[in-house]
Structure formats: C-alpha cells, structure tokens
C-alpha cells in the first residue's frame, strides 16, 4: 500500500479472488446442505485430466473447451464413484476417494509428461497464481481487465442465474430428495447440473486459486455459514460474505508476509470455521458450555430450595455447603425466595411454591418408577434427583393421573400438591 491507497495490481488480484470465492460459496452451499461436499472435493481435483486434455486439443486455459472438458471429467468422476459403490461393493466415500485421487493423479502425470506442449504447470495446478492474475488481461470496452476476474464474474453470474431459476427445486431436493423425487422434481438432473456447476466454478478458479484453495472455497465458507444460520438462502449469502472476506484478508496477509496467497486464504478460511464452531449461537462450543453452566446453576438453586422444604418437613437436614451452593442461597435471597434466620436459611412464601414443585416432580417420578420399573427402593432416588429438574406441569399432571398423588411416594412420604406459583419447566 501507499499514500494513495492500494496498488491497482493488488486490487485486481483481490477482486479476482473475491469473485471466485463468491461463485464457489454459492455452489459449495448446495453441496454442503446436500451432504455432497466430499464429491465437490473430488470434482475439484478430478477435473484436472479434462482440463489437460482440452488444452492439449488446442483450447485456451479458462476457455469454453476447457469448461466442456472439466464438466465431462466431473461426470466421469460421479459415474465412477457411483459405479464403485454399486458394482464393486465399495463404501460410497471410499469409492469417491478412489475415483478423484486416481483422476487427479492422472492429470498430474499428463501435466508432467506434456509440460512442453501445454500452458499448465504442476505447481500452478496445486497452488494457483493469484499473485499474477492482474498481468493476464483482456481488453474490455477499452479497459484491461484480468482474465481470471472476467471469467470468475461470468461464472458467478451464470451459476447465480441457474440457482435462482431452480431455487425451489434445489431446496426441495436438498432437504428431502425422496419426497422431491416422488413429487416429480427432476432430482437426477439437478444433481448433474450441480456437478456441472461445480466443475465450471472449479475451472474458473483453477488458474488463480489452484486445487487447494478451490476445495477450501467450496467447502469451508458454506460449512461455517451452516453453523451460524438456519435457512438455505441465508447460508448462501453468509457463505459468500465469509468467502469474499477471507479472500481479501488472506491476500493482504500473504502480501504483507510475503507468502502464498492461496495458502494464506485457506488458513484464514480455517480460522473463520473455527470461530463459527466456537461461537455459533445454537451448536457452538461456547453456547453449549454456557448452556451446561446455566443448567448446573439452576440445578444447584433448585436443590437448595428442595433441601429447605425437606428440612421443614423434618426428613433431612441440609444447608448450603461449598462456594456454589452458598452463592445460590445468596442469589435466591436477593430474589426473595429464601431469607436468612438466626439458625440458617428458610423459605419465603414465594420460594415455597417453587420448592414444592421440585419436590412434587421428584416424588411423582419415584412413584412412577416404583410402579413401572423393577428397582430396589433405595435405587429410586438417584434418577428422580436428576429428572426433577426437567419435568414440566403437563408431565406432572400425567404422572399424577397414573400413579395417584394422594397415596404418597414409595417411601411413604407425602407428595405436595401442585402449586399455582410453581416453576413452569419443560413439558
């Protein structure tokens, strides 16, 4: 960078990476939600023989002939994968792995054997030449536009138009292919079209991104977006944003660190996925950890309320022991559920209803177990101790109707009545 802003060559390289990333994110989102990401990985590698043969036949890298060769190689890959799975008894993922590694290796051999006759390089195939994208230009309305940017833009527009035209069918086939097939949706044609779009998108990014980055752009943004949002159109939009942002940040980082742009973009994408896995609102590691901690806190508070109720009943003598139970007692006192006395703690009128609900849930479950499960009497308490925190009003009503809440629990203790002020837990 300089005082006037970013260098135009670097700007074109970043723009090229971003349009390739957007196209890959669109196709990759459909692959990921249909659980076909491994096949997308396979195609991104296995198109190499088709590209090489098309170039050997006289097509220019990125031209129409190369696109046709790549699509043909993609269809061969899918056919081989399905054939190995159906005819040879090989697991589907193993068949896909055999097909794409063999075809990719064949492509590398062809590149090495005919390097003098074709404008392809083995290193370029793996890592791309994003740093040089701005030097390969075509004239467009008097402007020198990088060929990779133009190709990526056209492919992005094409796959976006195709996705919009078939969006309802794509969603139906993605989430319930059997029902879609029964409803007359041409699922096979959609699948072949998706494979063709994957091949075309791969070819558009091959020259500038290479096989390594294309795979990352196809799979990682969509996988990260799927963790963060729950509607397919939002997955596509967020995947495109993640892919383009990672492309820009990765390129700038590679430029500053003087390292491979494709490799750095893939590293940034991996970091994006890690952040999504950590902070996803529903299934993220942090969200699950917070949910476990909140549940633990609720259990400690409810155990303390139930212990005070039983202490007043005269069946147990319990009080807060340890840091967490003491904190629970203090928090319940601040809410007006318990109050401190000269002898310790006692329930208030507000806290008694909540405590009775917990004890009622516990003893109803013990009564149900005692009637329906062959367990010794002293084995009924531990499961009820856990379940009492997860029984709601509706379940308590069904249990009371079945076991009768006036007869007491299996230990002969009274089952408290349903309290209007009781906690409304999950049903």
């Amino acid at each position: 960078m300089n005082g006037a802003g970013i260098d135009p060559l670097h700007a074109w390289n970043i723009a090229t990476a971003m349009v390739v990333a957007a196209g890959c994110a669109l196709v990759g989102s459909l692959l990921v939600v249909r659980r076909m990401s491994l096949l997308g990985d396979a195609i991104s590698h296995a198109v190499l023989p088709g590209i090489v043969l098309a170039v050997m036949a006289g097509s220019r890298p990125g031209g129409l002939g190369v696109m046709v060769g790549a699509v043909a190689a993609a269809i061969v890959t899918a056919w081989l994968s399905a054939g190995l799975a159906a005819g040879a008894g090989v697991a589907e993922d193993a068949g896909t792995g055999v097909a794409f590694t063999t075809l990719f290796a064949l492509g590398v051999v062809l590149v090495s054997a005919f390097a003098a006759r074709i404008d392809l390089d083995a290193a370029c195939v793996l890592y791309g030449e994003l740093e040089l994208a701005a030097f390969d230009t075509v004239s467009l309305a008097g402007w020198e536009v990088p060929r990779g940017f133009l190709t990526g833009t056209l492919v992005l527009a094409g796959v976006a138009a195709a996705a919009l035209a078939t969006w309802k069918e794509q969603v139906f086939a993605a989430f319930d292919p059997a029902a879609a097939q029964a409803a007359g949706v041409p699922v096979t044609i959609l699948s072949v079209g998706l494979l063709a779009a994957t091949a075309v998108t791969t070819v558009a990014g091959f020259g500038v991104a290479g096989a390594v980055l294309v795979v990352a752009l196809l799979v990682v943004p969509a996988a990260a977006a799927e963790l963060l949002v729950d509607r397919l159109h939002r997955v596509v939009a967020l995947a495109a944003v993640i892919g383009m942002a990672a492309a820009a940040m990765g390129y700038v980082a590679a430029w500053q660190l003087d390292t491979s742009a494709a490799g750095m973009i893939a590293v940034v994408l991996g970091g994006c996925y890690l952040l999504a896995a950590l902070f996803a609102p529903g299934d993220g590691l942090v969200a699950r950890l917070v949910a476990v901690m909140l549940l633990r806190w609720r259990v400690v508070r409810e155990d303390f309320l139930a212990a005070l109720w039983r202490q007043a009943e005269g069946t147990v003598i319990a009080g807060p022991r340890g840091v967490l139970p003491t904190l629970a007692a203090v928090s319940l006192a601040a809410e007006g559920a318990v109050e401190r006395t000269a002898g310790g703690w006692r329930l208030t009128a507000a806290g008694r209803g909540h405590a009775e609900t917990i004890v009622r849930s516990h003893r109803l479950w013990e009564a149900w177990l005692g009637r329906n499960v062959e367990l010794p009497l002293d084995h009924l308490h531990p499961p009820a101790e856990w379940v009492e925190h997860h029984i709601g009003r509706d379940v308590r009503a069904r249990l009371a109707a079945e076991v009768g809440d006036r007869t007491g629990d299996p230990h002969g203790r009274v089952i408290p009545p349903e309290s209007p002020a009781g906690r409304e837990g999950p049903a």
Side-chain angles (χ1 to χ4, degrees):
M1 296 184 181
N2 51 43
I6 192 168
D7 185 278
L9 294 178
H10 289 302
W12 275 122
N13 290 341
I14 292 172
T16 301
M18 291 177 71
V19 296
V20 169
C24 288
L26 172 55
V27 175
S29 297
L30 296 175
L31 290 171
V32 168
V33 297
R34 294 187 64 174
R35 301 300 179 255
M36 295 170 60
S37 55
L38 179 60
L39 190 56
D41 183 3
I43 289 172
S44 66
H45 285 78
V47 295
L48 183 57
I51 295 173
V52 176
L53 292 175
V55 172
M56 290 176 63
S59 296
R60 177 183 177 83
L64 180 60
V66 169
M67 297 288 186
V68 173
V71 171
I75 294 173
V76 169
T77 303
W79 176 77
L80 281 176
S81 301
L84 287 171
V90 179
E92 184 176 355
D93 57 346
T96 302
V98 170
F100 92 77
T101 52
T102 302
L103 289 172
F104 182 67
L106 175 61
V108 173
V109 169
L110 290 174
V111 170
S112 301
F114 299 99
R117 294 175 49 189
I118 58 176
D119 186 20
L120 283 175
D121 179 71
C124 174
V125 166
L126 289 174
Y127 312 118
E129 292 183 342
L130 179 57
E131 295 87 346
L132 304 178
F135 294 98
D136 182 15
T137 63
V138 294
S139 182
L140 184 67
W143 290 80
E144 292 298 316
V145 179
R147 189 183 304 276
F149 175 81
L150 180 59
T151 302
T153 302
L154 292 175
V155 169
L156 173 60
V159 295
L164 288 173
T166 61
W167 186 252
K168 291 183 179 178
E169 293 79 6
Q170 293 284 1
V171 174
F172 200 178
F175 294 102
D176 198 341
Q181 186 82 43
V185 175
V187 176
T188 301
I189 295 177
L190 288 175
S191 298
V192 172
L194 181 57
L195 296 180
T198 304
V200 171
T201 306
T202 297
V203 173
F206 228 66
V208 298
V212 174
L213 181 55
V214 166
V215 173
L217 290 173
L218 279 172
V219 177
V220 180
E226 192 180 33
L227 293 174
L228 298 171
V229 293
D230 57 1
R231 300 290 296 274
L232 183 54
H233 66 280
R234 294 175 182 171
V235 170
V236 172
L238 184 56
V241 170
I242 292 172
M244 290 189 293
M249 291 187 292
Y251 182 90
V252 172
W255 172 22
Q256 297 298 322
L257 298 175
D258 192 23
T259 187
S260 166
M264 184 58 71
I265 292 173
V267 169
V268 173
L269 285 171
C272 291
Y273 182 82
L274 178 61
L275 290 175
L278 286 174
F279 298 106
D283 298 323
L285 181 61
V286 172
R288 283 183 287 172
L289 181 61
V290 169
V292 169
M293 293 174 63
L294 291 176
L295 175 61
R296 175 61 179 159
W297 175 245
R298 180 166 67 83
V299 167
V300 170
R301 284 161 48 94
E302 291 180 353
D303 282 347
F304 181 58
L305 290 174
L308 289 180
W309 192 93
R310 293 187 179 103
Q311 180 177 340
E313 187 187 38
T315 56
V316 297
I317 298 176
R321 295 180 180 178
V323 176
L324 195 59
T326 302
L327 290 175
V330 172
S331 71
L332 288 167
E335 296 172 9
V338 300
E339 59 185 5
R340 189 186 291 274
T341 65
W345 298 90
R346 72 180 178 189
L347 293 168
T348 64
R352 180 170 298 279
H354 194 157
E356 286 178 346
T357 298
I358 301 163
V359 175
R360 176 176 173 81
S361 298
H362 180 106
R363 293 182 178 176
L364 281 173
W365 190 251
E366 279 194 335
W368 186 90
L369 288 176
R371 174 175 293 189
N372 295 280
V373 181
E374 294 183 1
L375 284 175
L377 195 62
D378 59 350
H379 283 57
L380 299 178
H381 180 76
E385 186 75 10
W386 178 80
V387 171
E388 68 184 22
H389 303 287
H390 306 278
I391 295 180
R393 185 185 297 274
D394 291 342
V395 175
R396 288 194 299 273
R398 293 199 294 269
L399 290 172
E402 182 173 342
V403 303
D405 56 354
R406 297 183 183 276
T407 58
D409 70 2
H411 304 281
R413 294 173 301 200
V414 174
I415 298 177
E418 186 69 38
S419 172
R423 174 182 59 87
E424 272 304 309

